Amino acid sequence: MDFLVLFSLYLALMLLGGGLICICWRTQYLNGLVQGGAQAISRVIPECLQRAVRRLLHYLFHTRNHVFVVLHLVLQGLVYAEYTWEVVGYCRELEFSPGPLLLPAVLLLVNLFFFALSCVTNPGTITKAHELSFLRVYEFDEVMFPKGARCPTCDLRKPARSKHCRVCNRCVHRFDHHCIWVNNCIGAWNARYFLFYLSTLTASAATVASISAAFLVQVAVFSDLYLESYIDDRGRSQVVDIVFLVQYLFLLFPRVVLLLGFVVVLSCLLGGYLCFQLYLAATNQTTNEWFRAGRARCRRCRHQAQPPPAEPRVFQNIYSHGVWSNLGEIFLPAALDKRKTK
Ligand SMILES: [Zn+2]
Ligand SMILES: [Zn+2]
């Protein structure tokens, strides 16, 4: 099979897999699938290996550790090393304007700045001293956030929109999710840094992809190869097409083509996730609330076939007050500081 067809299949499968995981995750079907898969695998893998895998997975995903932070920096370093030493070098030989070539470096610096802020900023840890202040910030909706609920681990009254993070072992104000890539919770006080971090990461991946693609297109144009023809393995004369061109470029610049493939997939995944996070920000929902609302809706759909004795109350987003107000709540530090000192 041709390289381009294989790569397109790989890209389509990655995106399809990501989409399916999102749907399954929200509708609880993933738990069943994972449990079924784990049971099937446990029959063929020795017990000691299973224990080691379980311990490793627990360490990676259920404890605070720097593994994914280091992996993030290593991957970013590899992409930028390849971009700087090969793509920029060739682009300068082809007399590309230096401005666009420097753009990924500027985006990298801004990205690392917000990455560090997302890692080290307190997301809004709820303590005994600030418990009352946090309780006054958001009203209780009595569906998802009932008044009087307590966190059994922290022994604190749970403010509306807060959640106990099992990885960090603390209750977090306006809890969004725990991000393994920044090794921190995303909450009220660092959500804005996380959004800037995600935006600049997406922009830097898309910029590296665009410049690498522009370089390869320029090489193809300069070589005039697309005007040529070649003899295929059956001895027939064929006009050079896009598949042949990509394979030709892969033989000439294998690392640049692999880099392009990686950053294209990354840009699509990050772009999709960024759109999702911006949608949540604009509608004043957290990932935790969106996820729980989705599960509640699924339960309600199942109950419609066999109505329960008492109709459960439905979660409604009472925290949205218009797009600008919602975005201001996340991006304006003054609003958060004001709340902090209430
Ligand atoms: Zn707690
Ligand atoms: Zn956490």
Side-chain angles (χ1 to χ4, degrees):
M1 211 182 287
D2 291 316
F3 170 79
L4 193 64
V5 178
L6 268 176
F7 182 73
S8 305
L9 274 174
Y10 166 73
L11 189 66
L13 277 173
M14 286 272 287
L15 294 175
L16 187 71
L20 280 175
I21 285 173
C22 283
I23 293 166
C24 293
W25 177 57
R26 204 181 183 204
T27 54
Q28 255 183 331
Y29 293 125
L30 191 61
N31 281 348
L33 280 177
V34 169
Q35 276 166 14
Q39 274 175 5
I41 291 168
S42 66
R43 291 193 192 107
V44 286
I45 294 179
E47 182 63 32
C48 58
L49 194 60
Q50 285 180 45
R51 269 201 304 274
V53 170
R54 271 200 294 272
R55 237 178 272 142
L56 177 68
L57 290 176
H58 177 80
Y59 173 73
L60 287 177
F61 298 104
H62 295 101
T63 60
R64 279 192 94 179
N65 64 77
H66 291 94
V67 173
F68 288 95
V69 173
V70 173
L71 183 65
H72 181 297
L73 293 173
V74 167
L75 281 174
Q76 214 166 12
L78 286 174
V79 166
Y80 270 84
E82 173 58 23
Y83 171 76
T84 309
W85 300 123
E86 219 169 3
V87 179
V88 172
Y90 288 133
C91 285
R92 290 191 70 181
E93 282 176 29
L94 292 173
E95 296 180 348
F96 273 51
S97 160
L101 295 180
L102 278 174
L103 190 58
V106 176
L107 285 168
L108 175 68
L109 289 177
V110 181
N111 176 253
L112 288 177
F113 174 69
F114 285 112
F115 177 66
L117 280 178
S118 304
C119 291
V120 299
T121 305
N122 177 357
T125 305
I126 301 167
T127 58
K128 271 265 182 248
H130 299 99
E131 187 187 11
L132 271 176
S133 311
F134 283 119
L135 281 164
R136 287 191 214 113
V137 177
Y138 292 114
E139 58 181 299
F140 293 91
D141 67 350
E142 299 299 345
V143 178
M144 198 180 280
F145 304 108
K147 199 173 184 176
R150 289 189 81 85
C151 173
T153 314
C154 307
D155 193 26
L156 294 168
R157 279 180 287 168
K158 284 175 94 170
R161 310 192 82 184
S162 67
K163 187 178 183 295
H164 182 84
C165 175
R166 277 184 288 180
V167 181
C168 303
N169 198 27
R170 62 182 169 184
C171 276
V172 175
H173 175 50
R174 201 186 185 280
F175 177 87
D176 192 276
H177 68 287
H178 179 89
C179 177
I180 52 171
W181 296 104
V182 300
N183 192 25
N184 199 2
C185 280
I186 305 303
W189 296 348
N190 65 349
R192 60 190 186 279
Y193 300 138
F194 181 72
L195 275 173
F196 280 124
Y197 152 73
L198 196 58
S199 312
T200 48
L201 191 64
T202 310
S204 61
T207 318
V208 170
S210 307
I211 294 171
S212 306
F215 158 67
L216 292 172
V217 168
Q218 194 81 313
V219 169
V221 169
F222 277 171
S223 66
D224 284 341
L225 197 71
Y226 58 95
L227 301 172
E228 306 287 330
S229 60
Y230 67 98
I231 306 296
D232 67 8
D233 46 7
R234 290 178 191 167
R236 289 176 305 191
S237 176
Q238 299 277 2
V239 177
V240 167
D241 56 10
I242 184 78
V243 177
F244 183 92
L245 262 179
V246 172
Q247 288 180 98
Y248 169 77
L249 290 169
F250 182 68
L251 289 174
L252 273 184
F253 309 104
R255 286 191 300 273
V256 179
V257 175
L258 285 175
L259 170 77
L260 177 61
F262 179 68
V263 284
V264 164
V265 173
L266 198 64
S267 304
C268 293
L269 294 175
L270 287 171
Y273 185 54
L274 176 64
C275 290
F276 171 64
Q277 283 295 329
L278 288 175
Y279 159 74
L280 292 182
T283 53
N284 207 334
Q285 293 180 76
T286 63
T287 305
N288 175 48
E289 290 158 11
W290 176 85
F291 175 58
R292 287 175 64 185
R295 285 194 162 183
R297 244 173 254 129
C298 285
R299 275 199 297 274
R300 198 172 150 79
C301 291
R302 281 199 292 274
H303 282 149
Q304 273 171 1
Q306 290 175 314
E311 187 69 12
R313 291 185 64 192
V314 187
F315 168 74
Q316 282 184 326
N317 182 6
I318 60 167
Y319 306 110
S320 179
H321 303 289
V323 175
W324 294 116
S325 167
N326 295 341
L327 292 177
E329 195 173 310
I330 290 175
F331 287 102
L332 288 178
L336 292 170
D337 290 338
K338 215 184 285 171
R339 267 194 228 128
K340 193 179 165 187
T341 54
K342 257 184 187 177

